[in-house]
Amino acid sequence: MIASLFSLKGKKAFVSGSSRGIGRAVAMLLGEAGAEVWFHASRPSPALDATLAEAEKRAIACHSVAADLSGMEGVDQIVRSVRECDILILNASVQRYLTLDEFDGEEFAREFNTNVRASFALVQAFLPGMRARRFGRIVSIGSVNQRKPSPRLGIYAATKAALANLILNCARSSAEFGVTANNVAPGVIATDRNAETLADPAAARKILEQIPVRRFGTPEDCAGIVLLLCSEAGSYITGADIPVAGGMQL
């Protein structure tokens, strides 16, 4: 009974930004639950190759696609490669640590195009097929910054808030077609993106003071809730914005 509730056998999943970090952990878990998984990175890389090799070692039916999501050409490449998608995980994002007065138009556009526009385009591309098949799962990976924006991540925080709003709107309009849409908002996760900051003892200590559970999260902490939302066990959950932040959002 438990296995069937969480089984994704026969489903096809695409996870953007899944050569490392949260995306990798999510894609691996979806694959271990039975989904056929498309792994993605912005460009060909040893990390993407190693991730695909690990997935094959775990007997996961898998493929990979490298495409830069800062431009629509990358989105088109993904759609041509994947073609059909039952589970869409919008994880890929970019950020730079800058105060608002330090941003220029080019960086603003890069973050919004990658984090919001590309995600919107992928939803538009795959949602009609989900509706036609009367099954679909869309999960965006937001951030605790969408609620508590860091002073040096203002534009990134804005993109995550925009993405969450977009996905919750999708939940309302697609529920009658058997499609659920939810947002998962991680806190401080120990990934390579955060490695430099967390390697500074003083900075790490200051951040930990803001986290009630007094530890940093792991990619696996985020993967479990995504599996729930994509499975039959989570089929009655849509329009949720779920923090996975150790209480940092409080």
Side-chain angles (χ1 to χ4, degrees):
M1 176 64 175
I2 292 176
S4 63
L5 278 175
F6 290 93
S7 174
L8 299 179
K9 187 176 182 180
K11 304 303 182 187
K12 297 181 179 180
F14 171 76
V15 185
S16 68
S18 46
S19 66
R20 57 192 177 91
I22 293 172
R24 183 184 190 276
V26 168
M28 288 291 185
L29 189 58
L30 298 183
E32 290 177 342
E36 180 180 349
V37 180
W38 281 87
F39 289 84
H40 163 261
S42 61
R43 61 186 62 84
S45 67
L48 181 59
D49 293 341
T51 294
L52 199 67
E54 176 62 25
E56 291 171 346
K57 183 179 178 181
R58 299 187 193 187
I60 294 171
C62 57
H63 319 272
S64 67
V65 56
D68 183 355
L69 291 178
S70 65
M72 292 305 294
E73 299 85 358
V75 173
D76 292 340
Q77 183 179 344
I78 289 169
V79 173
R80 287 195 304 270
S81 298
V82 179
R83 291 185 293 181
E84 185 178 296
C85 178
D86 303 298
I87 298 169
L88 176 61
I89 311 299
L90 303 167
N91 170 73
S93 67
V94 295
Q95 65 180 50
R96 279 192 69 190
Y97 284 95
L98 297 169
T99 58
L100 291 180
D101 59 303
E102 293 172 328
F103 271 92
D104 57 25
E106 183 178 353
E107 179 59 23
F108 180 94
R110 185 180 80 100
E111 295 193 22
F112 260 90
N113 286 342
T114 304
N115 301 358
V116 182
R117 186 184 181 196
S119 293
F120 172 67
L122 288 170
V123 170
Q124 275 198 319
F126 291 122
L127 185 58
M130 293 179 182
R131 287 180 167 184
R133 292 187 296 275
R134 309 291 298 185
F135 179 92
R137 299 288 185 265
I138 301 172
V139 181
S140 57
I141 305 301
S143 169
V144 70
N145 278 279
Q146 72 194 49
R147 303 183 187 200
K148 298 179 68 175
S150 165
R152 297 179 63 229
L153 287 173
I155 302 305
Y156 173 79
T159 66
K160 290 300 187 178
L163 179 60
N165 191 285
L166 172 69
I167 296 306
L168 301 189
N169 188 292
C170 179
R172 180 184 290 274
S173 62
S174 299
E176 64 180 294
F177 300 100
V179 178
T180 67
N182 296 283
N183 185 69
V184 170
V188 182
I189 309 299
T191 63
D192 57 353
R193 171 177 282 185
N194 295 321
E196 183 177 350
T197 299
L198 299 185
D200 180 340
R205 188 163 52 250
K206 185 176 180 180
I207 295 170
L208 274 176
E209 290 172 356
Q210 303 174 55
I211 305 173
V213 302
R214 292 297 188 269
R215 73 171 177 88
F216 301 121
T218 68
E220 289 71 25
D221 286 326
C222 303
I225 185 64
V226 176
L227 174 59
L228 169 66
L229 295 172
C230 294
S231 69
E232 182 61 29
S235 62
Y236 202 58
I237 304 171
T238 195
D241 186 359
I242 304 171
V244 182
M248 191 178 185
Q249 79 283 358
L250 299 173

